[in-house]
């Protein structure tokens, strides 16, 4: 048994589950209602759904999902620009997989591909550079999507492409930063939260310290967590304990990956290539200094300048009835949206939270739509 | 195989003239051993026995055509053989139609044909007639193969959704998701440590053993596109009963689990090409597992769930004791961002 297997150990998980449930009852009694926690990472959303944790904690703890899926928070305006890029003659658009299906205001990359655009999935931007070298007649534009986790990889890729003298490769950066988004969510007076489960992979880059502001400014217990069953249960246990004791701290429970200072090398790479800018988030509006734009020194690799892409008009175009805005803020749960599962489904998604495999609506749709009758096996 | 000093497929290979004949004689007839095929008439003529027959057809358009553990040729034989086998039939004859892209290396075609012949040998079936067309470069991706298969339903076998009852057990013959991961990793060039191989294999051997030994089999399905979850949902919807699966009992090997986790995919929705699901009476479930485990394609066979009264839903009991709903797959699996 590897040390990691202990984090998936069924017997251990079930024992801890019992303790979490008992603690949750105690907290609920004290608060006069179930504790409300928000998870800020799409991978946590999926892991919680997969474990069936909400059904196990029903009436004890309410778990909401925040703006932690990079696909879901990519704004219409950015998708429209990507679509315009894909339509340019001679351009190959490279992207991570789940960006394909996200609807812009008129089209999606999947539709553009069906119409003849050259849109390709790469697992790593380095593969996109290799493709550019092998196809010098094409301009290869890689979509820089994701948070602090993917930005350093894109930064390293740029450095390598420049060192190699690759002239037909560029980046369309739509990278975003998690701490400003958390601030935007927590500043909402309507939202009543008791604690946060913080993203494990993002924290590996930023470090634990980057989240101290949650305690200083909002006084909320927070836990950095991994993604295995035990990780998530340990995080819930920690949050409930802090609530019982009336404490508020940012605790790192993912110590096998996350350091106090984070990954200094990755942070340095991000700082070398990108600068922080105000960008729109789908559902949250424009958040100050929450996006990463390529620095002027990398203009020759910046698709926005190199291909002279006009910014698409900002759009207030929201599908009527779509509650993704409120869902991304943790204000509503997916089943509370009136389009959920009747009009908006993974096959015919209306809003972005249903498109991405990590979106809250897709996770709920797949795993949590109905309460079953009868027991387990 | 080289013809006229050329080593690629030309449009003329599909025009019915001299090059087509060369292709048939020097390639297809060399590898597909069949007296019926050798006659090269417009239709294969054969005698039939009494009883019920099954027929199925499938087209194979896999990208990439070669993947760890198999290729499009092996898939084209196994896929059709398995559709017949899970229907309770003994596959006998196949047809094979090739649509080739101009420029396809003949060496690639030959190795695909060789692996088809190999799979036919293992499955004990004959390719008795076929066809070849060639399209201009860019009109299709390298090679498409269509196979149609016929077989005899084993006497006394009656499979169907109407026979499923609450209490029946759900079985699977082994670890899930290998084919899906093998093809995805090859397609996107993912180079994970430890290569996952496709499980592509003809299942008629293990299934005929099962049908001989076990009377209480209600239905069998092979778990191809959409994986276990999608197939279970199709069965539940068709018979109006619920299927409960237990996550702790479902075999998924470590390589698949690791790769699926890294890519954000769910092994229960990944394609298999050598796995099938059986629904059987509770009395015979244990014996059926033992029979499956006695065959090399069923070493990891397990009981993974049971049928309950309900409304056509599929539920999974999670490792924590929670419950989640499984539904049809929506869109093909795509690797996630982070």
């Amino acid at each position: 048994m590897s040390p990691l297997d202990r984090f998936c150990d069924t017997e251990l998980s079930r024992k801890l589950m019992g303790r979490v449930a008992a603690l949750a009852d105690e907290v609920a009694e004290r608060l006069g209602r179930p504790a409300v926690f928000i998870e800020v990472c799409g991978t946590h959303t999926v892991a919680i759904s997969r474990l069936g944790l909400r059904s196990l904690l029903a009436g004890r703890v309410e778990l909401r999902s925040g703006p932690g899926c990079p696909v879901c928070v990519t704004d219409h305006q950015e998708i429209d620009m990507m679509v315009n890029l894909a339509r340019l003659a001679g351009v190959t658009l490279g992207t991570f997989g789940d960006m394909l299906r996200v609807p812009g205001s008129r089209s999606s990359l999947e539709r553009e591909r069906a119409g003849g655009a050259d849109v390709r999935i790469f697992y790593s931007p380095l593969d996109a550079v290799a493709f550019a070298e092998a196809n010098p007649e094409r301009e290869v534009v890689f979509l820089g999507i994701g948070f602090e986790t993917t930005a350093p990889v894109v930064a390293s890729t740029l450095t390598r492409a420049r060192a190699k003298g690759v002239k037909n490769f560029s980046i369309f950066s739509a990278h975003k930063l998690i701490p400003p988004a958390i601030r935007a969510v927590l500043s909402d007076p309507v939202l009543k939260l008791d604690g946060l489960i913080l993203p494990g992979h993002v924290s590996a880059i930023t470090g634990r310290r980057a989240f101290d502001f949650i305690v200083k400014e909002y006084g909320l217990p927070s836990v950095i967590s991994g993604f295995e069953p035990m990780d998530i249960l340990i995080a819930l246990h920690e949050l409930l304990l802090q609530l019982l004791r009336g404490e508020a701290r940012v605790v790192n429970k993912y110590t096998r990956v996350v350091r106090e200072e984070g990954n200094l090398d990755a942070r340095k790479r991000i700082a070398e290539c990108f600068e922080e800018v105000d960008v729109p988030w789908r559902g949250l509006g424009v958040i100050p200094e929450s996006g990463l734009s390529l620095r002027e020194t990398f203009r020759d690799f910046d698709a926005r300048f190199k291909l002279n892409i006009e910014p698409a008009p900002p759009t207030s175009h929201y599908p009527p009835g779509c509650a993704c805005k409120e869902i991304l803020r943790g204000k509503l749960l997916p089943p509370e949206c009136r389009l959920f599962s009747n009009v908006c489904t993974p096959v015919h998604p209306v809003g972005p939270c249903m498109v991405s495999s990590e979106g809250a609506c897709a996770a709920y749709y797949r795993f949590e739509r109905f309460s079953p009758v009868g027991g387990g096996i | 195989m080289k013809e006229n000093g050329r080593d690629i497929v030309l449009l003329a290979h599909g025009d019915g003239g001299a090059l087509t004949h060369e292709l048939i004689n020097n390639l297809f007839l060399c590898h597909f051993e069949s007296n019926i095929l050798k006659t090269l008439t417009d239709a294969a003529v054969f005698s039939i026995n009494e009883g019920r027959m099954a027929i199925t057809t499938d087209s194979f358009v896999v990208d990439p055509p070669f993947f760890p553990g198999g290729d499009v040729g092996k898939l084209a034989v196994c896929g059709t053989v398995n559709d017949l086998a899970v229907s309770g039939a003994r596959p006998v004859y196949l047809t094979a139609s090739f649509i080739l892209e101009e420029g396809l290396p003949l060496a690639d075609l030959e190795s695909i044909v060789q692996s088809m012949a190999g799979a036919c040998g293992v499955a004990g079936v004959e390719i008795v007639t076929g066809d070849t067309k060639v399209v201009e470069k860019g009109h299709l991706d390298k090679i498409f193969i269509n196979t149609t298969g016929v077989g005899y339903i084993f006497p006394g076998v009656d499979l169907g959704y109407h026979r499923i009852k609450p209490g029946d057990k759900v079985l699977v013959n082994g670890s899930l998701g290998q084919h899906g991961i093998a093809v995805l990793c090859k397609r996107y060039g993912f180079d994970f440590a430890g290569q996952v191989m496709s499980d592509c294999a003809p299942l008629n051997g293990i299934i005929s053993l099962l049908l001989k030994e076990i009377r209480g089999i209600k239905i069998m399905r092979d778990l191809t596109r959409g994986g276990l979850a999608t197939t279970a949902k199709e069965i539940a919807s068709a018979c109006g009963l619920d299927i409960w699966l237990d996550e702790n009992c479902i075999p998924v090997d470590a390589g698949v689990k690791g790769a699926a986790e890294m890519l954000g995919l769910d092994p229960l929705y990944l394609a298999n090409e050598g796995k099938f699901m059986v629904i059987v009476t509770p009395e015979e479930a244990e014996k059926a597992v033992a029979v499956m485990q006695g065959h090399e394609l069923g070493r990891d066979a397990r009981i993974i769930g049971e049928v309950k009264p309900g409304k056509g839903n599929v539920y999974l009991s999670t490792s924590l004791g929670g419950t989640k709903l499984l539904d049809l797959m929506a869109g093909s699996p795509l690797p996630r961002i982070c």
Side-chain angles (χ1 to χ4, degrees):
Chain A
M1 194 174 189
S2 86
L4 200 60
D5 285 342
R6 301 200 39 95
F7 286 90
C8 313
D9 186 298
T10 308
E11 205 175 320
L12 272 179
S13 306
R14 290 197 182 208
K15 268 188 196 157
L16 185 53
M17 182 70 225
R19 286 173 57 180
V20 166
L23 212 50
D25 285 339
E26 220 177 314
V27 170
E29 200 173 322
R30 189 170 297 193
L31 294 174
R33 55 169 178 81
V36 181
F37 299 140
I38 193 167
E39 86 266 355
V40 189
C41 169
T43 312
H44 278 143
T45 307
V46 172
I48 286 167
S49 282
R50 276 196 182 171
L51 289 170
L53 209 49
R54 285 188 187 86
S55 70
L56 285 167
L57 290 169
R60 292 181 161 126
V61 169
E62 210 175 286
L63 293 168
R64 296 181 168 264
S65 305
C69 158
V71 172
C72 304
V73 297
T74 303
D75 193 71
H76 275 100
Q77 194 179 1
E78 286 173 321
I79 306 275
D80 292 346
M81 287 169 80
M82 293 172 194
V83 164
N84 291 344
L85 272 171
R87 289 177 180 175
L88 292 177
V91 163
T92 293
L93 201 67
T95 177
F96 295 125
D98 43 9
M99 204 62 213
L100 278 186
R101 297 195 188 109
V102 188
S105 37
R106 297 179 314 282
S107 179
S108 68
L109 293 176
E110 188 174 49
R111 283 185 65 95
E112 293 304 307
R113 188 168 72 172
D118 188 12
V119 180
R120 287 165 193 264
I121 294 176
F122 294 103
Y123 193 60
S124 152
L126 287 171
D127 295 342
V129 173
F131 182 85
E133 288 180 286
N135 298 275
E137 76 291 351
R138 310 227 20 116
E139 173 66 22
V140 179
V141 181
F142 188 80
L143 301 179
I145 311 282
F147 300 124
E148 290 86 342
T149 34
T150 50
V153 185
V154 170
S156 303
T157 304
L158 279 178
T159 315
R160 187 176 300 193
R162 173 168 281 174
K164 280 181 153 182
V166 183
K167 293 275 178 273
N168 60 325
F169 176 78
S170 51
I171 295 282
F172 177 87
S173 175
H175 286 291
K176 293 183 176 57
L177 302 170
I178 282 284
I182 290 180
R183 203 175 247 120
V185 167
L186 295 182
S187 303
D188 192 323
V190 180
L191 194 61
K192 293 283 175 278
L193 286 177
D194 299 304
L196 291 90
I197 299 175
L198 297 173
H201 298 140
V202 168
S203 304
I205 308 296
T206 62
R208 191 208 58 82
R209 209 168 276 179
F211 295 100
D212 275 340
F213 74 91
I214 298 173
V215 170
K216 284 199 191 90
E217 295 171 35
Y218 304 98
L220 286 173
S222 309
V223 183
I224 293 168
S225 164
F227 303 92
E228 303 301 342
M230 285 294 281
D231 285 315
I232 292 168
L233 291 169
I234 287 166
L236 288 171
H237 192 260
E238 169 67 29
L239 286 174
L240 290 162
L241 270 184
Q242 285 196 37
L243 280 178
L244 268 184
R245 295 172 181 160
E247 294 172 352
R249 290 179 298 123
V250 181
V251 176
N252 176 12
K253 289 284 185 189
Y254 197 27
T255 47
R256 63 188 188 273
V257 173
V258 177
R259 306 267 172 279
E260 191 68 5
E261 301 295 337
N263 182 331
L264 292 173
D265 181 50
R267 286 168 58 188
K268 188 166 130 267
R269 282 166 196 262
I270 294 177
E272 277 168 2
C273 291
F274 296 104
E275 55 194 354
E276 291 167 12
V277 289
D278 305 356
V279 293
W281 290 55
R282 200 186 284 238
L284 297 173
V286 174
I287 301 177
E289 299 187 348
S290 65
L292 292 176
S293 168
L294 283 176
R295 289 189 181 279
E296 209 168 324
T297 45
F298 282 93
R299 279 276 157 96
D300 48 338
F301 287 97
D302 190 339
R304 291 172 201 250
F305 291 95
K306 198 172 168 183
L307 300 169
N308 208 7
I309 284 287
E310 289 291 316
T315 165
S316 57
H317 164 81
Y318 247 83
C322 170
C324 277
K325 272 181 171 174
E326 285 72 28
I327 289 161
L328 286 168
R329 288 193 176 105
K331 281 172 137 173
L332 287 182
L333 292 171
E336 292 167 328
C337 169
R338 61 190 176 84
L339 304 187
F340 179 76
S341 92
N342 46 35
V343 177
C344 181
T345 65
V347 181
H348 299 289
V350 176
C353 300
M354 190 60 96
V355 174
S356 163
S357 58
E358 297 196 356
C361 296
Y364 269 79
Y365 185 93
R366 278 182 55 191
F367 300 130
E368 309 195 31
R369 256 176 313 151
F370 307 113
S371 301
V373 285
I377 295 169
Chain B
M1 186 187 93
K2 289 201 176 189
E3 295 175 29
N4 305 346
R6 303 300 299 260
D7 53 358
I8 55 168
V9 170
L10 305 172
L11 279 175
H13 280 115
D15 67 7
L19 274 185
T20 308
H21 282 262
E22 274 184 31
L23 194 66
I24 291 168
N25 288 311
N26 301 348
L27 196 142
F28 296 127
L29 287 186
C30 283
H31 295 290
F32 298 152
E33 286 175 26
S34 163
N35 289 329
I36 301 173
L37 180 67
K38 267 187 206 150
T39 60
L40 293 182
T41 46
D42 278 331
V45 177
F46 51 86
S47 319
I48 54 169
N49 314 339
E50 258 189 52
R52 293 190 302 153
M53 294 189 81
I55 181 165
T56 185
T57 188
D58 209 338
S59 297
F60 298 85
V61 295
V62 63
D63 164 36
F66 296 90
F67 45 83
D71 58 36
V72 62
K74 188 179 181 184
L75 211 55
V77 171
C78 295
T80 293
V81 161
N82 294 347
D83 281 345
L84 288 170
V86 293
S87 309
R90 178 171 61 85
V92 195
Y93 297 129
L94 302 188
T95 71
S97 272
F98 296 82
I99 304 178
L100 310 173
E101 184 188 24
E102 178 184 26
L104 176 76
L106 279 169
D108 285 359
L109 179 60
E110 180 150 37
S111 96
I112 287 165
V113 166
Q114 269 172 325
S115 71
M116 286 176 84
C120 285
V122 176
V125 296
E126 247 180 82
I127 290 175
V128 290
T129 186
D131 179 54
T132 312
K133 295 284 185 294
V134 180
V135 296
E136 285 171 27
K137 195 161 183 61
H139 284 213
L140 67 78
D141 190 14
K142 301 179 194 71
I143 178 163
F144 293 171
I145 303 175
N146 170 278
T147 51
T148 296
V150 292
Y152 295 108
I153 299 287
F154 285 104
V157 167
D158 174 27
L159 304 174
Y161 296 127
H162 61 283
R163 297 196 51 217
I164 302 173
K165 298 272 180 296
D168 286 346
K169 298 289 185 192
V170 183
L171 281 55
V172 70
N173 66 313
S175 175
L176 300 176
Q178 287 159 259
H179 179 74
I181 289 290
V183 168
L184 262 175
C185 288
K186 178 82 180 168
R187 182 182 305 161
Y188 296 120
F190 303 153
D191 207 0
F192 298 124
Q195 201 174 45
V196 174
M197 308 286 269
S198 166
D199 58 341
C200 183
L203 292 165
N204 54 330
I206 183 174
I207 286 174
S208 66
L209 263 184
L210 205 54
L211 288 171
K212 203 158 50 192
E213 300 282 334
I214 310 289
R215 287 274 143 247
I217 293 178
K218 308 296 188 72
I219 193 155
M220 292 181 288
R221 289 284 308 271
D222 58 343
L223 307 175
T224 51
R225 282 174 305 179
L228 170 73
T230 302
T231 309
K233 177 63 184 174
E234 285 170 1
I235 295 174
S237 301
C239 65
L241 298 165
D242 285 351
I243 292 178
W244 282 76
L245 302 172
D246 186 344
E247 190 168 44
N248 292 323
C249 302
I250 298 172
V252 178
D253 78 29
V256 170
K257 204 176 263 180
E261 218 158 88
M262 187 136 28
L263 298 170
L265 303 172
D266 185 344
L268 300 189
Y269 284 90
L270 289 171
N272 308 274
E273 289 294 345
K275 295 297 176 300
F276 67 110
M277 179 173 152
V278 185
I279 295 190
V280 62
T281 56
E283 298 78 22
E284 288 200 278
E286 293 289 350
K287 187 181 170 193
V289 170
V291 170
M292 282 153 97
Q293 288 178 343
H295 191 281
E296 63 170 338
L297 296 178
R299 296 272 181 259
D300 287 330
R302 311 261 173 90
I303 297 175
I304 57 167
E306 75 170 58
V307 179
K308 295 189 176 204
K311 298 182 181 155
N313 288 319
V314 180
Y315 295 105
L316 184 79
S317 300
T318 69
S319 55
L320 270 185
T323 304
K324 66 189 186 193
L325 186 84
L326 298 178
D327 205 341
L328 301 176
M329 186 171 76
S332 59
L334 289 171
R336 64 152 182 222
I337 288 185
C338 76

